[in-house]
Amino acid sequence: MKVDLNQARAALLNGEVVGIPTETVYGLGGWIKSPQGIQKIFSTKERPFFDPLIVHVDTINKAQELTTQWTKIHEVLAQACWPGPLTLIAKKAPHIDSYITSGLDSVGIRIPNHPLTLKLLSEIPGGVAAPSANKFKKTSPTSFEHVEDEFSGEVKVLDGGPSDIGIESTVAGVEDGKVLIYRPGFYTAGKLKEILGQQGLNVEVSYAESPVAPGQLKHHYMPKIPLIIITPQMKWEDVQAKIESQFNKKFISPALWIQPTNPLAASRELYQSMRSFVDLGHDIILCVRNDEFQEEDWKGIWNRLDKAKTLSLI
Ligand code: TXA
Ligand code: MG
């Protein structure tokens, strides 16, 4: 149900969860100083406790209070990318509830770039933990309506319009003086390296091969109907028999999904499109993997699609 800023603040301070808009996806927020609020995030999402939450704040000072390890690398990346779609991992301060970090000794922190949520965060001491506002493993929400739909209107939500970036933040940590990306997103390794280089930091930036981040599961973001990855050459007639025998089921209304050529447009529309195929009554999605879409800017998008897929025919 829709709430205004005052109601959202009161609910958070009262240990309730609130849907909050960000530029990436909508979050399901709980106050970090309320154990009840944190528990409610997990129960509302049906999320297992091994998946750590990101803490959202509105200033770099507040971010520093959440950690005992704020390196030059953290500072440079925070100054350049915040508010924005980057989550920084750092050693956690002792006062942070270990449910937030799933018992890890590190915490994920970010300043989201949305005026309503920044205002809200400025009025909440400490910060707000928020995973994406969807049921565990399901498609992330990029609008007020998606969150309403996901929780059948039972969760309080601040309406901030559609999310601009459309996929979750890049998650990056610092290990042995090097930057490791645990979840790809808008900020690529190339871009982070460039930002650090501009400040005289010649630092290696790479993608974590086997992510230490719990919560980086094989399946995630899944739409309510099967999503199949195909090549541009494949036609429904060519693959129908194979798919139907694999699923032991007939499909009558396939949707052909071709990504926009611009990665920013593709990420903005990604989850919205995934949901709209279901709303339009399709029973299967054929997602075309085009060779032109393999540059680094596409990494975050294919990471989500690979986890959302039921099957790849490539
Ligand atoms: O864009 C976003 O990051 C959105 C908005 C709401 O801010 N939030 C989001 O949260 O995507 P969530 O819970 O869906 O994903 C958080 C992921 C975890 O699954 C985990 O992979 C990583 O962030 N993470 C969080 N804390 C971590 C930590 N201490 N170490 C490593 N990875 C961590
Ligand atoms: Mg999520």
Side-chain angles (χ1 to χ4, degrees):
M1 83 212 65
K2 202 177 280 199
V3 294
D4 63 21
L5 257 179
N6 286 335
Q7 293 166 317
R9 183 189 53 228
L12 285 170
L13 295 177
N14 192 35
E16 295 172 47
V17 291
V18 176
I20 56 172
T22 88
E23 81 284 25
T24 57
V25 301
Y26 273 64
L28 185 70
W31 186 26
I32 64 164
K33 293 180 189 284
S34 166
Q36 185 193 331
I38 299 305
Q39 297 296 325
K40 272 200 189 151
I41 293 176
F42 289 95
S43 58
T44 308
K45 270 189 69 107
E46 296 162 21
R47 177 178 174 121
F49 289 113
F50 61 74
D51 197 359
L53 307 175
I54 294 168
V55 179
H56 298 68
V57 290
D58 64 312
T59 65
I60 294 183
N61 270 348
K62 276 195 191 167
Q64 288 168 341
E65 283 165 14
L66 300 170
T67 166
T68 55
Q69 170 218 32
W70 193 253
T71 65
K72 182 90 198 318
I73 294 176
H74 288 92
E75 180 66 17
V76 167
L77 293 179
Q79 290 286 353
C81 307
W82 285 352
L86 177 71
T87 293
L88 290 172
I89 307 293
K91 212 160 236 43
K92 91 177 191 65
H95 66 85
I96 298 176
D97 189 338
S98 59
Y99 277 106
I100 294 175
T101 58
S102 302
L104 298 174
D105 65 354
S106 61
V107 59
I109 312 166
R110 100 179 180 95
I111 303 185
N113 191 13
H114 193 290
L116 261 185
T117 294
L118 284 171
K119 179 85 176 71
L120 176 68
L121 292 171
S122 75
E123 297 171 359
I124 306 276
V128 171
S132 50
N134 50 277
K135 289 269 168 74
F136 184 58
K137 288 193 176 181
K138 300 297 183 198
T139 310
S140 307
T142 52
S143 72
F144 165 77
E145 289 76 16
H146 294 167
V147 186
E148 282 282 278
D149 187 40
E150 194 73 16
F151 301 112
S152 314
E154 282 166 19
V155 166
K156 293 180 173 153
V157 190
L158 201 51
D159 184 358
S163 298
D164 196 35
I165 300 282
I167 62 171
E168 298 84 349
S169 60
T170 301
V171 176
V174 181
E175 270 170 50
D176 302 328
K178 296 176 192 158
V179 175
L180 270 183
I181 296 181
Y182 302 118
R183 179 174 70 183
F186 174 86
Y187 281 109
T188 59
K191 183 72 190 156
L192 295 184
K193 188 162 175 52
E194 184 189 320
I195 289 168
L196 291 161
Q198 281 163 355
Q199 299 303 319
L201 292 176
N202 188 10
V203 172
E204 204 179 291
V205 183
S206 56
Y207 294 93
E209 285 297 329
S210 59
V212 295
Q216 292 294 300
L217 305 170
K218 187 159 174 279
H219 292 296
H220 212 142
Y221 319 110
M222 294 182 92
K224 290 177 184 154
I225 54 177
L227 189 156
I228 317 292
I229 304 212
I230 61 169
T231 67
Q233 290 75 34
M234 290 176 180
K235 301 274 167 293
W236 174 235
E237 300 76 66
D238 309 333
V239 295
Q240 183 175 10
K242 183 171 181 176
I243 292 172
E244 289 183 344
S245 85
Q246 198 128 348
F247 284 82
N248 196 18
K249 173 179 175 191
K250 290 248 170 269
F251 293 99
I252 51 173
S253 182
L256 185 66
W257 190 13
I258 299 169
Q259 300 301 319
T261 50
N262 177 330
L264 290 179
S267 81
R268 185 176 305 134
E269 293 170 19
L270 194 80
Y271 293 132
Q272 165 65 40
S273 303
M274 248 189 234
R275 284 168 189 266
S276 67
F277 294 127
V278 181
D279 296 341
L280 289 168
H282 291 289
D283 53 4
I284 190 163
I285 305 168
L286 302 173
C287 173
V288 176
R289 185 167 197 140
N290 196 319
D291 284 344
E292 293 150 43
F293 300 165
Q294 299 307 311
E295 291 128 41
E296 208 194 351
D297 286 350
W298 286 88
K299 211 174 168 69
I301 295 164
W302 286 111
N303 167 271
R304 307 310 189 275
L305 285 169
D306 274 330
K307 292 183 185 211
K309 72 171 189 269
T310 327
L311 179 71
S312 171
L313 296 177
I314 296 185

